[in-house]
Amino acid sequence: MTKEKEQQQKDEQFMQKALIEAKAAFDAGEIPIGAVIVCKDRIIARAHNLTETLHDVTAHAEMQAITAAADALGGKYLPECTLYVTIEPCTMCAGAIGWAQLRRIVYGATDEKRGFHKYAPEALHPKATITAGILEQECRELMRQFFLSKR
Amino acid sequence: MTKEKEQQQKDEQFMQKALIEAKAAFDAGEIPIGAVIVCKDRIIARAHNLTETLHDVTAHAEMQAITAAADALGGKYLPECTLYVTIEPCTMCAGAIGWAQLRRIVYGATDEKRGFHKYAPEALHPKATITAGILEQECRELMRQFFLSKR
């Protein structure tokens, strides 16, 4: 198996874990976005969107995952970690990802309306790499189902 | 007294409260930035930067103030509130300010390096108004003293 193929398999496995988080958000009536943070092939943080439950606009999956990962590692920077998140991060989360110095971000589906690419394209660490489109259909479908159910 | 002059006096009074928070951060060895959120001329949240203490890059003064204000009001949106913060918000905080729908932001000194004007100029609510330069000297001087002491 090529190195690229192996990485893609790993990415899909970790995105599955982020999707489990997103589904937990869905079941709780939250916009279904989930995230995990991986350090040396080990998941050190899992989180899902809790903005409704906590009445807190800052309680996005990525924000909570960053806080939890820093807590797990005992330091506030995460340069050796990868963030997996089902939907493209927003401006706020991209800013936090930049501060945390995360060097790799993997997301499922793009967010045309609120994604950071549009509003804060330089928010991430200059050396950060981005992989988009991992399990895109599943990630997007969960969002579609959620907003359909809210109509 | 004109309406403008009255507003300026109020802004200076509330910024003084944000400066008290910034000084508390300074004394705790934190980058000295403080914030208060005001609703109908009443302070409903006060916070200062706690990134070192909490080992958490997301623990900026503004983020904590938004969480606390939403908690105080019992809802996650803050359209009738004003945020006072000693230094121009960063991309992350501007994103959070946008999500919270804060309609007025007052800050002391600009942040040339990390301020949202440069990296995420459209992050705020489209109807949000910004007042800059309130007690600018005091806000900036506190930062200068802090970084001088760290050399």
Side-chain angles (χ1 to χ4, degrees):
Chain A
M1 191 159 58
T2 64
K3 213 173 168 185
E4 287 74 25
K5 187 74 193 160
E6 199 180 338
Q7 186 62 57
Q8 198 190 327
Q9 276 199 359
K10 264 189 200 173
D11 285 349
E12 289 180 1
Q13 281 166 14
F14 288 127
M15 191 61 83
Q16 284 291 1
K17 305 297 184 186
L19 265 167
I20 290 172
E21 288 296 318
K23 283 168 192 161
F26 187 103
D27 292 341
E30 299 276 357
I31 294 177
I33 302 177
V36 300
I37 291 179
V38 172
C39 185
K40 294 171 184 160
D41 287 341
R42 202 167 61 82
I43 293 175
I44 59 168
R46 301 163 195 261
H48 58 262
N49 180 36
L50 282 173
T51 50
E52 294 301 322
T53 307
L54 301 179
H55 306 296
D56 185 350
V57 297
T58 75
H60 284 194
E62 302 94 312
M63 302 299 282
Q64 298 177 78
I66 288 169
T67 300
D71 200 44
L73 293 182
K76 62 184 176 145
Y77 298 121
L78 308 168
E80 293 181 32
C81 299
T82 299
L83 169 73
Y84 290 85
V85 57
T86 56
I87 302 292
E88 180 188 352
C90 72
T91 297
M92 171 180 73
C93 293
I97 291 164
W99 283 120
Q101 301 181 12
L102 273 153
R103 294 290 169 86
R104 187 163 181 248
I105 293 91
V106 181
Y107 65 83
T110 54
D111 181 349
E112 320 292 348
K113 264 192 179 168
R114 298 285 200 159
F116 79 95
H117 274 114
K118 187 170 171 194
Y119 289 103
E122 292 174 87
L124 306 189
H125 190 279
K127 288 188 182 161
T129 63
I130 300 168
T131 304
I134 302 291
L135 304 185
E136 183 177 1
Q137 293 308 316
E138 292 91 324
C139 294
R140 190 184 301 283
E141 180 59 19
L142 202 57
M143 291 287 271
R144 200 185 67 83
Q145 287 293 337
F146 180 80
F147 287 109
L148 212 61
S149 75
K150 292 289 172 188
R151 266 184 208 162
Chain B
M1 192 159 56
T2 65
K3 215 174 168 184
E4 288 73 25
K5 188 73 194 160
E6 199 179 340
Q7 186 61 58
Q8 196 189 329
Q9 276 198 359
K10 264 190 199 173
D11 285 348
E12 289 179 3
Q13 281 166 12
F14 287 126
M15 190 61 83
Q16 283 291 0
K17 305 296 183 186
L19 266 167
I20 289 171
E21 288 296 319
K23 283 169 192 160
F26 187 104
D27 292 342
E30 298 276 358
I31 293 177
I33 302 176
V36 300
I37 290 178
V38 171
C39 185
K40 294 171 183 160
D41 288 343
R42 202 168 60 85
I43 293 176
I44 59 168
R46 301 164 195 260
H48 58 263
N49 180 35
L50 281 173
T51 50
E52 295 301 322
T53 307
L54 300 179
H55 305 297
D56 185 349
V57 297
T58 75
H60 284 194
E62 301 94 314
M63 302 298 284
Q64 298 178 78
I66 288 169
T67 300
D71 200 46
L73 293 183
K76 61 185 177 144
Y77 299 122
L78 308 168
E80 293 182 31
C81 300
T82 300
L83 169 73
Y84 291 84
V85 56
T86 55
I87 302 292
E88 180 188 352
C90 71
T91 297
M92 171 180 74
C93 292
I97 291 164
W99 283 120
Q101 300 181 13
L102 273 153
R103 293 292 168 87
R104 187 164 181 248
I105 293 91
V106 181
Y107 64 83
T110 55
D111 181 349
E112 319 292 347
K113 266 192 178 167
R114 298 284 199 160
F116 79 96
H117 273 114
K118 188 171 170 191
Y119 290 103
E122 291 173 88
L124 304 190
H125 191 280
K127 288 188 182 163
T129 61
I130 300 168
T131 304
I134 301 291
L135 304 186
E136 182 176 2
Q137 293 306 317
E138 293 91 324
C139 295
R140 189 184 300 284
E141 180 60 16
L142 202 57
M143 291 288 269
R144 201 184 67 83
Q145 287 292 336
F146 179 80
F147 288 109
L148 211 62
S149 75
K150 291 288 170 187
R151 269 186 205 161

